[in-house]
Amino acid sequence: MKKNVQPTQPYQPLLLRLLHGLTGLGVLGAMLTAAWTYNTYDGRWGKLPLPDNRAIEGIHGTFGLYTLLVFPALVLYAFHRGQRRLLQPDSLTKLTQLDQPIGWYSWGRLANSLTLIALTLAVFSGKMMDDTWLPKGELDHLWYSIHLIAWVGMGVRSPYT
Ligand code: HEM
C-alpha cells in the first residue's frame, strides 16, 4: 500500500489564479485599446488599418483604471505567498543551468519579476498622463514615452504567459 502520497498540487493556487485572471483581463483590454489609441493619435512607428476612434482613449482609461485597482492585490500576493515565483538571490547565476529544472524555474522567476515591473511602470505612467495631450497632438511628453515603452515591455512578455 502506498504511504505518504501527496495529492498533486495545482500549478497555480486558487487565489493566484483569480488575481492573475482579473489582472490579465484588464491588461488585455488596456493593451488592445492602447493600440487603437496609438493608431488614432500617434502612428509614428506604423499604423494598422483601423478607423480612427476618438472615443477609444476614454475606453482605454477605463480599462487602465480597472487594472490599476486590481493589480496591487496581485503584487501583494506575489511579494508574500508568491515569493518563490519571483527572482531569488541566486536566480541570475542559475539561468544557464538549463539541463536542470532550476534553470527553467529561474527564467520563469525572471519573467514574472520583469512583468511586475513593466506593469507597474505602465499603470503609474498612465496615471501621470493627461488625457488632453494626444488630442492636442502633444506626443513628446516624457510620461507618454514611458507609457509607450511599458506597453512594448508588456507586449514582449504577453506571448510567454
Ligand atoms: C500595458 C499597457 C497599458 C496599460 C496597463 C495602461 C494603463 C493606463 C492607466 C492605468 C491609465 C490611467 C487611467 C486613469 O487615470 O483613469 C492610462 C491612461 C492613458 N493611457 Fe494607457 N496603458 C497602457 C498602454 C498605453 C499605450 C500604448 C497608449 C498609447 C496611446 C496609452 C495611452 C493612454 C492615454 C492617452 C491615457 C490618458 C487617458 C485617460 O486618462 O483617460 N496607454 N493608461
Side-chain angles (χ1 to χ4, degrees):
M1 207 173 81
K2 283 186 187 169
K3 277 187 186 165
N4 295 330
V5 177
Q6 298 290 320
T8 316
Q9 295 242 325
Y11 171 60
Q12 289 187 347
L14 184 63
L15 184 57
L16 173 58
R17 207 167 262 259
L18 201 73
L19 295 174
H20 197 254
L22 289 175
T23 309
L25 284 177
V27 170
L28 193 67
M31 289 187 70
L32 294 175
T33 51
W36 203 347
T37 306
Y38 160 85
N39 223 61
T40 301
Y41 291 112
D42 192 335
R44 282 173 290 175
W45 296 277
K47 279 182 102 165
L48 291 170
L50 289 171
D52 284 355
N53 181 353
R54 300 185 83 82
I56 200 70
E57 186 188 14
I59 299 171
H60 169 73
T62 307
F63 274 108
L65 196 60
Y66 162 81
T67 309
L68 184 68
L69 292 176
V70 291
F71 179 52
L74 178 63
V75 172
L76 266 181
Y77 180 97
F79 285 167
H80 291 95
R81 285 171 59 186
Q83 247 300 323
R84 66 192 173 84
R85 293 174 200 264
L86 298 179
L87 275 186
Q88 309 294 314
D90 61 350
S91 287
L92 294 181
T93 59
K94 307 267 183 197
L95 289 175
T96 49
Q97 298 178 18
L98 291 179
D99 51 341
Q100 295 165 38
I102 186 62
W104 294 97
Y105 285 141
S106 301
W107 278 101
R109 287 167 172 162
L110 177 65
N112 288 343
S113 305
L114 289 178
T115 306
L116 291 187
I117 294 171
L119 189 52
T120 304
L121 208 64
V123 292
F124 187 72
S125 56
K127 206 64 212 152
M128 302 306 285
M129 292 270 302
D130 187 315
D131 55 2
T132 64
W133 288 346
L134 302 194
K136 282 193 289 186
E138 295 178 10
L139 304 179
D140 45 11
H141 288 278
L142 180 64
W143 285 117
Y144 179 51
S145 306
I146 295 174
H147 205 50
L148 282 175
I149 292 168
W151 179 81
V152 173
M154 289 303 293
V156 170
R157 203 284 185 242
S158 298
Y160 303 99
T161 41

